[in-house]
Amino acid sequence: MNDIQIWTWSFVILSFSLYIGIAIWARASTTGEFYVAGQGIPPLLNGMATAADWMSAASFISMAGIIAFVGYDGSVYLMGWTGGYVLLALLLAPYLRKFGKFTVPDFIGDRYYSNLARVVAVICAIFISFTYIAGQMRGVGIVFSRFLEIDVELGVMIGMLIVFFYAVLGGMKGITYTQIAQFCVLIFAYLVPAIFISLMVTNTPIPQLGLIGNTGGEPLLTKLDGLTRELGFTPYLAGKKSMIDMTAITLALMVGTAGLPHVIIRFFTVPKVSDARISAGWALLFIALLYTTAPAVAAFARLNFIESVNGSVYEASDETATPEWFKTWENTGLLSWDDKNNNGKLDYHGGPENEVNVNRDIMVLANPEIANLPPWVVALVAAGGLAAALSTAAGLLLVISSSISHDLAKRVLFKDLSDKNELLIARLAAIAAIAAAGYLGINPPGFVAQVVAFAFGLAAASFFPVIVLGIFTKFANKWGAVIGMLGGIGFTMSYIIWFKFIHPEANLPENWLWGISPEGIGVVGMMINFGLVLVISHLTAPPPPDVIAMIEDVRQPE
Amino acid sequence: MKTETKAKSDLYWRANLRLLAILLSIWFLVSFGFGIFWRDFFDQWSIGGAPLGFWFAQQGSIYVFVVLIFAYSFLMNRLEKHFALDAEPEQ
C-alpha cells in the first residue's frame, strides 16, 4: 500500500464513521421526522444540505473535465445547473413550503384533487429518481476502485451499507445532518487542489480570479484559445453548439433542476415560508462556490495537460519526458497513447492523427498529481467524490421511499394507515430502493450514463409546468394536469428514445426538431405540457371551491 | 373586515408578481441575453483577461443568480411586513 492509499483509507474511514455517528444520533421516530426532518432545519444548514443533495458525482468528478474539453459549450451546465435555483426560489419553494405537506405528488394530488394525478406524479418521481441514483452508486464504486484498487462491486456494496445506515434509520433527519457534513468534505476537497493549481498556473490563490488572470504574461484564456486553435481542437472560446441548442439545453437544465423532486423536498424541511426563500439563496451560494471554481479548474487543467503532454518524449528522462502521472493513470485506462507515427513522442492534437486518448474525468481525479500536490490532497479528492455521490444518492432514496409509503400506501391504498406502520413501510421501501440502486450500480444497464442527463428533460416536461400553473393560476384543473404531464413526459421520452436508442446514427443537428438536441428537448416537452394544461382546463370543468381556497391559502405567507 | 383583508392580500399578490417579473427579467438577461444571444457583442469588452460575453456565460450569470435570490428574500420580507402578513407572531 502506498502513501496515497494510506491517506485515502484514513479519510474514507474517518468520514464514514462520522456519517454513521450522525445516523445513530439523528434517528427518526415519526413520519414527520422521516419525510421532512420535523420541519425544524435552520435555513443556512438546509442550504448546505441542499448543496450536497444537489451536487452529485457528476458535478464533482465530471463537470470540470467536460468544460475543459468543450470550452464555451460547457456554459450550458454552469448556467443551467445554477439558474434553476432562481426559478425554484421565486416560483416554487415558498409556496410548496406553505402547502406544508411531505412530497411533490402530495401537492399535485391535492391541488388537482385527483388520485390519478397523484399516481402519475409518483411514477414520474420514481422514474426520474431511479435513473439518477444508479449513476451515483456506480460513482461510489468507481472512486473506490480507482483510488483503493478494490472491485467496483465491493465499492458499491460499501456505499450501500453506509447509505442504509443513515437513510433507513434517520430518514430525512439523518440524511440532512449527514449531507451537511458531506458538503463540508466535498467543498474542501474541491477547493484545495483548485487553489494550488490556480497558484501554479496564474499566481493567484483564487481560481475565479485566475480564470480572468494571466499566465506567463498573457491572458490565460487567450493563450488556451490560441493553443486549441493551433492544435486543431474546437477553439476553447468558440464552441460548436448552435445558439438555439445552447438556449434549449440551458433552459431544460434550469427548469429540470427546479422540477427535480429530491431538490424540491429539501425546502419542506425548514420552519417557515421566509426560511424557504433565504435557504434557496444559501443553497445557491454554496453551490456557486463549486460551480464558479469548476470553469477555472477546467481551463487550468486543459492548459496544463496540453503543455505537459503534447510533444513530450515517452522514454526520455530529462525535461522533455512525459510526466510521471501520465504513466500512473495509463494503468487505470483513463489515459492512453498510441504512437501512430513511431516518433516516440506524444502527439496530442485534433483530427485522426491524434495519439493521446483522454477520459474527461481525469481533469479532476488526476489534478492533484498533475500539480504535484502531496498525497493527502489526492486522498481528499477521493473522500470528496464519495461524499458527493452518497449525499445525492440518499436524497433520491428518500424520494423513492416516501413516494411509495406516503403517496401510494397512505394516500391511495390504505387511507387509515397508522403513523407507526407508515414509518415501517417507509423504512422497508428505503431498503428495497437501496437494494435496487445497488443492483443497478453493480450491473449498470448500458444506457445509464446517457439517461442521467435526461432526468432533467423529464423533470422539466412533467413537474415544473403543473406545479407553476397550480400555484399561479386558479383555472388549471385535474384533466389539464393529468394530460399535460403525460403529454410532456411522453413526447420528451419518445424523442430521446428515438435519437438515443432506436436511431442513434440519425442523432445529427439536421434531423433534430428545430435544431434542438435530445439534451434540450425537455423545453419543447415543457411547452407541450403548459399548452395542454391551458387548453384542456378551459374545455373541462373548473376546479371546485375548496381547491380555489387552497390556492389562495398557498399564496399567502403564514 | 373580511373584504379589507381580501383587498390587502390581492395587493400583496400583485406586488409579489411585479417583483417576480422584474427579477426574472434580470435572470433571463444575464444568462440567455449576455451569455448566449448577444455574447459576441459583449465579447468586444473584457473583464481581466476574459471576453465579457464568455465571462457572463461561465461566471457572471452565476454571481447574479445568487444576488437575485437574496434580493428576492429581502424584498419579500419587507413586502410582508408592509402588508402585515409577516410570519412572525407579534411579541
Side-chain angles (χ1 to χ4, degrees):
Chain A
M1 209 185 284
N2 58 31
D3 269 7
I4 293 181
Q5 287 186 351
I6 293 170
W7 277 106
T8 308
W9 274 118
S10 325
F11 282 154
V12 168
I13 291 170
L14 213 66
S15 59
F16 280 20
S17 333
L18 176 69
Y19 306 153
I20 292 176
I22 293 172
I24 292 168
W25 167 71
R27 282 189 312 275
S29 47
T30 62
T31 51
E33 285 183 347
F34 195 89
Y35 296 140
V36 291
Q39 299 184 323
I41 307 292
L44 182 103
L45 293 183
N46 186 53
M48 280 191 191
T50 309
D53 190 52
W54 168 239
M55 292 191 281
S56 60
S59 289
F60 190 93
I61 299 172
S62 306
M63 192 175 64
I66 293 174
I67 299 167
F69 285 94
V70 298
Y72 172 73
D73 284 349
S75 313
V76 296
Y77 303 110
L78 295 165
M79 290 188 283
W81 285 335
T82 53
Y85 277 84
V86 178
L87 298 176
L88 189 64
L90 272 54
L91 301 177
L92 309 176
Y95 308 105
L96 293 175
R97 173 61 193 84
K98 177 66 198 299
F99 171 67
K101 295 226 177 117
F102 296 150
T103 67
V104 173
D106 244 351
F107 176 79
I108 291 177
D110 286 6
R111 166 59 182 83
Y112 293 105
Y113 49 98
S114 152
N115 271 344
L116 180 59
R118 194 186 306 274
V119 172
V120 171
V122 165
I123 294 168
C124 293
I126 292 180
F127 185 78
I128 292 168
S129 301
F130 260 122
T131 54
Y132 216 106
I133 204 170
Q136 304 308 318
M137 291 320 254
R138 188 78 189 159
V140 171
I142 287 172
V143 171
F144 268 113
S145 77
R146 285 191 191 147
F147 285 89
L148 297 169
E149 289 169 19
I150 61 177
D151 286 344
V152 174
E153 286 76 15
L154 185 60
V156 172
M157 282 195 261
I158 297 174
M160 282 166 65
L161 195 71
I162 295 297
V163 178
F164 172 85
F165 254 100
Y166 63 81
V168 175
L169 279 181
M172 188 55 128
K173 199 174 158 201
I175 288 172
T176 302
Y177 289 105
T178 27
Q179 280 175 339
I180 293 165
Q182 283 159 338
F183 172 76
C184 299
V185 172
L186 83 87
I187 201 70
F188 187 67
Y190 203 82
L191 293 183
V192 167
I195 290 168
F196 278 115
I197 292 162
S198 182
L199 273 172
M200 197 176 86
V201 178
T202 65
N203 264 323
T204 143
I206 301 168
Q208 287 81 352
L209 295 181
L211 182 67
I212 59 172
N214 289 337
T215 177
E218 185 184 2
L220 170 86
L221 286 169
T222 314
K223 183 167 185 187
L224 182 55
D225 190 59
L227 264 182
T228 45
R229 281 174 200 275
E230 213 174 285
L231 295 172
F233 294 111
T234 309
Y236 198 80
L237 292 178
K240 282 197 292 202
K241 286 190 164 69
S242 68
M243 190 183 282
I244 179 151
D245 201 27
M246 287 283 293
T247 310
I249 297 176
T250 305
L251 190 57
L253 295 178
M254 284 181 176
V255 175
T257 298
L260 281 176
H262 73 287
V263 180
I264 294 177
I265 55 167
R266 284 242 45 100
F267 295 93
F268 293 7
T269 66
V270 294
K272 288 183 299 166
V273 173
S274 55
D275 293 336
R277 291 193 288 254
I278 190 100
S279 187
W282 290 121
L284 186 58
L285 181 71
F286 294 131
I287 291 166
L289 276 179
L290 191 147
Y291 271 65
T292 55
T293 304
V297 168
F300 303 153
R302 185 75 190 280
L303 184 68
N304 231 332
F305 190 86
I306 293 176
E307 288 193 321
S308 55
V309 168
N310 186 34
S312 67
V313 183
Y314 198 79
E315 300 292 350
S317 52
D318 55 0
E319 66 274 13
T320 62
T322 302
E324 209 42 53
W325 55 261
F326 189 95
K327 295 170 187 173
T328 322
W329 284 87
E330 255 187 318
N331 299 331
T332 64
L334 292 186
L335 284 175
S336 65
W337 171 55
D338 169 19
D339 195 6
K340 291 178 185 157
N341 57 8
N342 289 315
N343 67 352
K345 286 183 178 175
L346 282 74
D347 295 308
Y348 176 54
H349 45 63
E353 303 297 304
N354 175 38
E355 299 179 350
V356 181
N357 273 312
V358 195
N359 181 306
R360 290 164 170 180
D361 291 351
I362 199 95
M363 290 296 158
V364 167
L365 296 177
N367 235 344
E369 283 158 89
I370 296 176
N372 258 323
L373 300 180
W376 66 268
V377 181
V378 183
L380 200 55
V381 172
L386 288 172
L390 289 174
S391 56
T392 305
L396 293 162
L397 275 174
L398 194 80
V399 169
I400 297 169
S401 114
S402 60
S403 293
I404 292 168
S405 63
H406 184 69
D407 299 313
L408 283 185
K410 170 81 178 178
R411 301 299 301 269
V412 178
L413 297 176
F414 317 105
K415 296 208 169 86
D416 50 359
L417 197 64
S418 74
D419 195 68
K420 204 169 147 234
N421 285 334
E422 189 185 337
L423 190 59
L424 179 67
I425 297 177
R427 290 203 157 109
L428 292 176
I431 293 172
I434 291 174
Y439 177 82
L440 289 174
I442 291 170
N443 307 298
F447 52 85
V448 159
Q450 289 176 314
V451 172
V452 169
F454 301 123
F456 292 90
L458 301 178
S462 56
F463 288 133
F464 184 78
V466 294
I467 300 177
V468 167
L469 290 177
I471 295 164
F472 289 88
T473 77
K474 290 179 183 168
F475 63 79
N477 72 8
K478 167 180 165 179
W479 292 113
V482 169
I483 296 171
M485 279 193 286
L486 289 175
I489 208 166
F491 167 80
T492 308
M493 263 177 114
S494 317
Y495 192 86
I496 292 171
I497 291 172
W498 179 265
F499 279 117
K500 286 286 172 176
F501 307 118
I502 301 181
H503 293 291
E505 76 288 346
N507 190 13
L508 300 165
E510 55 267 31
N511 297 330
W512 293 341
L513 178 69
W514 303 320
I516 298 175
S517 62
E519 284 84 354
I521 202 66
V523 168
V524 181
M526 173 189 80
M527 309 273 190
I528 291 175
N529 187 339
F530 269 122
L532 285 171
V533 181
L534 295 181
V535 172
I536 290 168
S537 296
H538 281 107
L539 297 178
T540 46
D546 58 318
V547 170
I548 304 288
M550 174 201 145
I551 301 167
E552 274 166 2
D553 182 60
V554 162
R555 289 179 180 184
Q556 300 298 322
E558 277 112 330
Chain B
M1 182 61 205
K2 206 154 183 222
T3 46
E4 200 182 301
T5 324
K6 174 89 170 74
K8 221 177 185 183
S9 59
D10 280 352
L11 275 179
Y12 161 79
W13 185 245
R14 242 172 294 155
N16 175 24
L17 293 182
R18 197 161 347 128
L19 183 60
L20 287 184
I22 296 169
L23 296 178
L24 287 177
S25 311
I26 302 175
W27 164 81
F28 187 83
L29 206 65
V30 296
S31 50
F32 296 98
F34 297 177
I36 299 180
F37 302 145
W38 308 301
R39 187 223 153 176
D40 291 337
F41 176 74
F42 277 90
D43 274 356
Q44 62 181 302
W45 298 289
S46 33
I47 175 163
L52 192 60
F54 179 88
W55 182 80
F56 262 104
Q58 299 215 334
Q59 298 270 292
S61 55
I62 303 177
Y63 300 131
V64 178
F65 295 155
V66 175
V67 173
L68 282 177
I69 301 182
F70 280 106
Y72 170 69
S73 176
F74 173 77
L75 294 170
M76 281 304 279
N77 287 347
R78 217 174 54 173
L79 200 66
E80 279 162 22
K81 277 222 177 66
H82 179 72
F83 287 98
L85 293 161
D86 197 352
E88 298 284 356
E90 299 292 329
Q91 295 297 311

